[in-house]
Amino acid sequence: MNVLTPLVEPDEAAQSAPLRPEALRVVGQPLPHDSAVKHVCGEAVYIDDMPEPRELLHAYVRLSAHAHARIRRLDVAPALASPGVAAVLKAADIPGVNDVGPAFPGDPIFADGLVEYVGQSLFAVAGDSIALARQAALRAVVEYEVLPAVLSIDAALEQKFFVLPTQVMTNGDSVAALASAAHRLQGRIEVGGQDHFYLEGQIALAVPGEDDDMLVYSSTQHPTEVQHLVARSLKRPDHAVICETRRMGGGFGGKESQASLIAVVAALLAAKTRRPVKLRLDRDDDMQLTGKRHDFRIDWDVGFDRNGRIQGIEFMLAGRCGMSPDLSGAINDRAMFHSDNAYYLPNVTIVSHRCKTHTVSNTAFRGFGGPQGMMGIEAVMDAIARHLLLDPLLVRTRNFYGKTDRNVTPYHMTVEDNIAPELVAELARTSEYAKRRREVAAFNAASPWIKRGISLTPVKFGISFTLLHMNQAGALVHVYTDGSVQLNHGGTEMGQGLFLKVAQVVAEEFGIGVERVKITATTTEKVPNTSPTAASSGSDLNGKAAQAAARTIRARIAKVIAGEFGVEPEEIAFRDGEVRGGGRSLPFADAVKHAYRARVSLSSTGYYATPKLHYDTKLHRGRPFFYFAYGASVSEVEVDTLTGEYRLRRVDILHDVGASLNPAIDLGQIEGGFVQGMGWLTTEELWWDSQGRLRTHAPSTYKIPAVGDVPVDFRTSIWKRGRNRENAIYRSKAVGEPPLMHGISVFHALRDAVGACGDGLVELDSPATPERVLFAITKRRAAADHLAEAAE
Ligand code: MTE
Ligand code: MOS
């Protein structure tokens, strides 16, 4: 491989992006997660830790045994007659609508005559214990008429079996550009799915109240949707149902839409028995019943010049949606949106098929289809580099978006905030990429069986919900007369530190310490009609809404105090626990008391809607994103080419969070996201058998990264020059999902090591388990031997 030519130098102009307006006291501090100590000591209260109400019943859901079948007979009488059983509930017993589809119908609460995946819910039993409910459920008699099942993406493509219509995104003329390009390559990559493996499984506790009231504690990213779907299934108005979520033990997208089913089943049983009901899925059932990251097949066809610059490109993306649409429309859209990653694709056509299979309905997972889209273009970059014998990093940088030209995306949005070139240049320097690339080459030349590989890959990730109306949020702030503050907003806490970040914003507005802001559970009672906490936009949306609420109250207090101090309200400052103006000051709590006595409201809602967004969903054109988050990572691996086993020698990450709201939380998100992404592309393998049964439904067979898999030499940095050029909350950037895609550099380091075992293209799909790595090496060595023989 060629030695790397010098990269772009840091662009000083990027530093002139607007800075934060003032010196901040609380925002930007690396405060520990508000529940960190409680998490570590086991004192954080998750739903299963709550004191159990009297007369509590436990629910169990019976799962379908076939991938595609008509239910000929369902006899639940033996279940009902089983000891300790209070109720059995099946499709016909649902008072309202038997569907929990979040965007489109297709997700029955209980199968109604037809099952479409192994693990689909058939009916539920409420009993005195989980064991009794389970025993009863297994006594029911189910008879199936088995139907032919579509189990793979390939089969779905062949039969044009889709859950939603195929979409096409285009810019320029890809056909002409491919035909006239100096070089042309085609290929395919298969990208595996991923189980969320949240530590706290899906769970809900439903408590019936008087009249029609139903209180549901749900481990959900979307309390409003749980509220609405519980109401709809019970045929009650939304106002009768409250959904409360204090925290989740991880969601990762798996509880964005699919927590609803669990909550709805608990609520239906609670309504029927008029007793509280808890439904906590066993891990094996959770993994079979609930959806995962979509696996994808990506076919590509690229034309490029002799420098490796893309002239034209076509992608065919086929995502496995499973048996229903769920959120697959938006997820497959996001795969299209990220088929460019950080690169300019001048003449591009992206065709996206939303494949239906008789497997569990796949759902949101950190990155929401974006990571899969990026895997396609990164495979293309690697292929171009190997074809032209260039360093892959050189090909990547040559294809980066420009600053003033070459800056329009396949969906016709102009990239205004491109910092990839300078961020990547900085990481290449601090990680000593060029030097280590030479060292890897030297090592490999001297080592026939152990091979090393290195790769630097960028990330550019669009921030906003691509469904326009979801980009809104509400908050409710109360200030009490002792100067303490209670904060509520529509966002949910799943470990990502959202509650703390929003509390920091509110504390900053009032000029008080964050300990005076009480972080409360999310409830549909306080803030209605909220969006899910997803698309990484929790702090952008809820931070701004809470800021608006706090500023309303602050202005009211300022007016009162300004009158007392004899100054204009604008001269009043809230700082360091005091309210100051005209040389005088009052402790915050005293100022609050003055305002109260002046009969001024100390409670306010706040609301925010993201500006600038517009999108034509038919033409696939517009501005779906407020801004982009950027980052890059370098991974170095060592592979035993006789077994395919490997280890990570070193990882360097440089990530842009704008001006961080909380660098400690952000660092945790970056490290955690990377490890989760690495797991997705290396060891986490979902394996279905020929009957459509998931055989990897427990940690015994499904391998998530453990502490020992984290690289020994792991260097993560927040980009110090990061600023959001858009007016996002305190110029920060969303951080939840983008770092997951740093896992792609591990995958490409493995490709690089495989590449060291022969010539030509590397064929490696994900997850790159040792088995797959070994196959890829064997194939390459066989081809090399073949060539050598032919030459003799
Ligand atoms: N971090 C933790 N610890 N646990 C989680 O479940 N979910 C991720 C990310 N980081 C998650 C997490 C996903 S999928 C998203 S969309 C964001 O957090 C959601 O939170 P945010 O919008 O507040 O960043
Ligand atoms: Mo995250 S996949 O948007 O919940």
Side-chain angles (χ1 to χ4, degrees):
M1 273 192 187
N2 288 1
V3 174
L4 191 69
T5 58
L7 289 166
V8 202
E9 268 312 299
D11 177 1
E12 297 304 320
Q15 291 189 359
S16 61
L19 299 172
R20 281 177 170 167
E22 70 253 45
L24 302 172
R25 294 288 201 274
V26 189
V27 162
Q29 291 300 312
L31 304 174
H33 192 288
D34 47 286
S35 296
V37 173
K38 283 181 283 191
H39 287 156
V40 173
C41 301
E43 283 174 6
V45 178
Y46 296 88
I47 289 172
D48 213 25
D49 301 318
M50 291 169 59
E52 294 188 338
R54 274 176 58 192
E55 314 228 317
L56 177 71
L57 291 167
H58 298 268
Y60 184 82
V61 178
R62 173 83 180 261
L63 308 181
S64 148
H66 292 283
H68 190 203
R70 234 179 289 287
I71 301 173
R72 276 236 228 84
R73 190 162 84 98
L74 173 58
D75 181 8
V76 298
L80 205 51
S82 192
V85 168
V88 177
L89 201 90
K90 49 190 187 345
D93 308 325
I94 296 170
V97 180
N98 180 22
D99 204 301
V100 289
F104 307 90
D107 295 294
I109 299 165
F110 299 122
D112 196 1
L114 183 77
V115 292
E116 293 198 276
Y117 72 98
V118 175
Q120 186 172 346
S121 61
L122 299 174
F123 63 91
V125 176
D128 292 332
S129 70
I130 296 184
L132 287 171
R134 182 170 188 272
Q135 191 182 68
L138 297 178
R139 285 186 179 156
V141 181
V142 194
E143 284 174 19
Y144 302 90
E145 177 194 337
V146 177
L147 303 169
V150 175
L151 294 172
S152 68
I153 291 177
D154 289 351
L157 280 177
E158 213 163 276
Q159 300 178 30
K160 298 201 166 28
F161 195 43
F162 302 136
V163 292
L164 291 167
T166 294
Q167 302 293 313
V168 181
M169 182 182 278
T170 125
N171 197 348
D173 185 347
S174 60
V175 175
L178 283 174
S180 64
H183 299 268
R184 187 164 174 181
L185 286 172
Q186 282 136 358
R188 171 180 300 176
I189 183 165
E190 289 181 3
V191 180
Q194 185 177 26
D195 188 87
H196 302 84
F197 225 97
Y198 22 61
L199 289 183
E200 178 208 34
Q202 302 271 5
I203 184 169
L205 167 64
V207 185
E210 60 179 34
D211 301 327
D212 268 359
D213 296 355
M214 185 65 69
L215 169 60
V216 184
Y217 298 94
S218 166
S219 183
T220 177
Q221 294 171 240
H222 200 347
T224 286
E225 191 163 274
V226 165
Q227 176 204 13
H228 293 175
L229 291 173
V230 165
R232 199 174 76 177
S233 68
L234 287 170
K235 213 176 181 178
R236 294 178 186 181
D238 289 345
H239 73 207
V241 181
I242 298 169
C243 178
E244 181 177 313
T245 305
R246 171 57 186 88
R247 60 167 64 78
M248 281 159 273
F252 306 113
K255 296 171 180 170
E256 181 175 344
S257 63
Q258 302 213 356
S260 303
L261 176 70
I262 317 306
V264 165
V265 169
L268 285 168
L269 285 166
K272 181 156 187 180
T273 58
R274 303 207 129 265
R275 289 169 66 177
V277 174
K278 180 150 76 180
L279 172 53
R280 187 194 71 218
L281 292 184
D282 172 90
R283 178 68 62 182
D284 296 74
D285 289 352
D286 191 317
M287 287 185 76
Q288 293 175 78
L289 177 69
T290 68
K292 307 163 198 323
R293 183 188 292 287
H294 294 58
D295 47 321
F296 268 71
R297 178 182 129 189
I298 302 175
D299 294 357
W300 51 265
D301 187 348
V302 66
F304 48 98
D305 66 16
R306 63 193 171 85
N307 297 316
R309 266 203 181 180
I310 292 178
Q311 309 292 299
I313 190 164
E314 291 180 355
F315 281 113
M316 189 286 296
L317 309 179
R320 179 209 294 266
C321 304
M323 51 77 78
S324 76
D326 183 77
L327 301 170
S328 292
I331 290 165
N332 284 274
D333 281 353
R334 198 171 265 274
M336 299 169 85
F337 287 132
H338 290 84
S339 291
D340 62 344
N341 193 6
Y343 313 111
Y344 175 57
L345 308 180
N347 295 293
V348 54
T349 302
I350 304 166
V351 176
S352 160
H353 298 299
R354 290 97 204 264
C355 299
K356 173 161 178 167
T357 51
H358 293 111
T359 50
V360 64
S361 189
N362 283 330
T363 194
F365 196 138
R366 206 171 194 171
F368 207 77
Q372 293 93 316
M374 283 185 200
M375 283 291 284
I377 188 67
E378 291 302 345
V380 171
M381 290 295 152
D382 198 62
I384 294 174
R386 286 178 202 289
H387 183 79
L388 296 176
L389 300 177
L390 293 170
D391 186 312
L393 179 56
L394 186 60
V395 173
R396 288 185 165 101
T397 53
R398 281 179 179 166
N399 281 288
F400 277 157
Y401 277 110
K403 300 265 184 187
T404 50
D405 64 335
R406 296 171 47 87
N407 59 357
V408 179
T409 66
Y411 43 96
H412 299 251
M413 172 176 170
T414 301
V415 180
E416 295 168 337
D417 61 4
N418 181 19
I419 52 165
E422 54 266 40
L423 189 145
V424 164
E426 184 172 322
L427 179 66
R429 191 171 58 245
T430 55
S431 67
E432 299 187 293
Y433 174 87
K435 175 171 152 250
R436 286 165 62 204
R437 155 74 59 209
R438 286 192 296 270
E439 285 169 2
V440 164
F443 177 90
N444 288 342
S447 172
W449 303 118
I450 305 292
K451 296 288 184 189
R452 289 183 182 168
I454 187 168
S455 175
L456 189 158
T457 55
V459 171
K460 162 178 144 289
F461 193 76
I463 303 299
S464 290
F465 286 101
T466 57
L467 197 57
L468 186 67
H469 73 259
M470 288 174 101
N471 296 289
Q472 59 171 315
L476 178 65
V477 173
H478 303 318
V479 179
Y480 296 98
T481 52
D482 67 348
S484 66
V485 176
Q486 201 191 71
L487 163 64
N488 201 273
H489 53 78
T492 55
E493 176 65 42
M494 56 195 102
Q496 86 279 37
L498 172 65
F499 280 11
L500 176 61
K501 284 182 171 179
V502 181
Q504 285 177 265
V505 168
V506 169
E508 191 70 52
E509 301 303 332
F510 287 127
I512 57 178
V514 75
E515 70 288 345
R516 291 171 82 174
V517 180
K518 177 81 181 172
I519 290 170
T520 60
T522 314
T523 163
T524 55
E525 261 189 314
K526 288 189 180 168
V527 180
N529 309 322
T530 55
S531 293
T533 306
S536 305
S537 56
S539 52
D540 279 12
L541 296 174
N542 297 288
K544 279 279 189 183
Q547 182 183 51
R551 285 188 171 172
T552 301
I553 300 171
R554 193 179 70 180
R556 291 182 195 145
I557 300 173
K559 200 171 162 208
V560 172
I561 304 302
E564 290 181 15
F565 287 180
V567 297
E568 292 301 315
E570 299 75 57
E571 296 170 55
I572 297 291
F574 289 71
R575 214 154 176 72
D576 304 326
E578 291 187 336
V579 180
R580 297 172 187 156
R584 294 171 62 184
S585 74
L586 268 178
F588 178 72
D590 291 353
V592 168
K593 282 193 195 83
H594 286 214
Y596 167 73
R597 284 197 210 103
R599 298 194 295 173
V600 160
S601 166
L602 293 166
S603 171
S604 177
T605 58
Y607 180 80
Y608 176 72
T610 315
K612 295 193 177 180
L613 304 175
H614 59 91
Y615 194 67
D616 183 328
T617 51
K618 289 203 177 61
L619 287 176
H620 287 292
R621 288 180 184 201
R623 177 174 182 160
F625 304 119
F626 190 28
Y627 62 87
F628 295 97
Y630 293 84
S633 61
V634 184
S635 294
E636 186 179 333
V637 298
E638 187 168 279
V639 178
D640 180 337
T641 63
L642 296 174
T643 65
E645 290 166 291
Y646 50 80
R647 62 190 184 88
L648 253 180
R649 284 169 50 81
R650 175 175 160 187
V651 175
D652 296 57
I653 301 174
L654 183 57
H655 196 84
D656 161 42
V657 296
S660 176
L661 291 174
N662 181 325
I665 295 287
D666 286 348
L667 211 54
Q669 285 291 295
I670 298 166
E671 291 178 347
F674 164 77
V675 172
Q676 194 167 39
M678 171 186 88
W680 165 48
L681 296 173
T682 56
T683 61
E684 296 184 39
E685 186 171 31
L686 292 165
W687 201 83
W688 277 270
D689 67 15
S690 59
Q691 314 288 303
R693 290 175 298 195
L694 177 66
R695 288 314 183 94
T696 49
H697 53 73
S700 52
T701 42
Y702 186 79
K703 173 78 178 76
I704 61 168
V707 175
D709 297 309
V710 172
V712 183
D713 193 350
F714 190 15
R715 311 181 190 194
T716 308
S717 312
I718 290 175
W719 201 40
K720 298 214 170 45
R721 290 151 60 199
R723 288 291 175 279
N724 196 331
R725 71 192 296 280
E726 297 298 342
N727 182 15
I729 186 75
Y730 282 107
R731 300 283 168 184
S732 66
K733 285 190 180 182
V735 68
E737 295 165 288
L740 179 126
M741 286 150 266
H742 293 316
I744 295 175
S745 69
V746 179
F747 181 76
H748 277 272
L750 288 169
R751 280 178 82 107
D752 194 47
V754 173
C757 305
D759 292 312
L761 295 185
V762 175
E763 282 176 57
L764 182 65
D765 293 325
S766 87
T769 56
E771 193 181 22
R772 279 218 182 81
V773 170
L774 184 61
F775 285 156
I777 290 168
T778 310
K779 213 166 167 181
R780 230 171 132 74
R781 287 216 163 116
D785 290 350
H786 187 75
L787 282 177
E789 271 171 31
E792 271 166 20

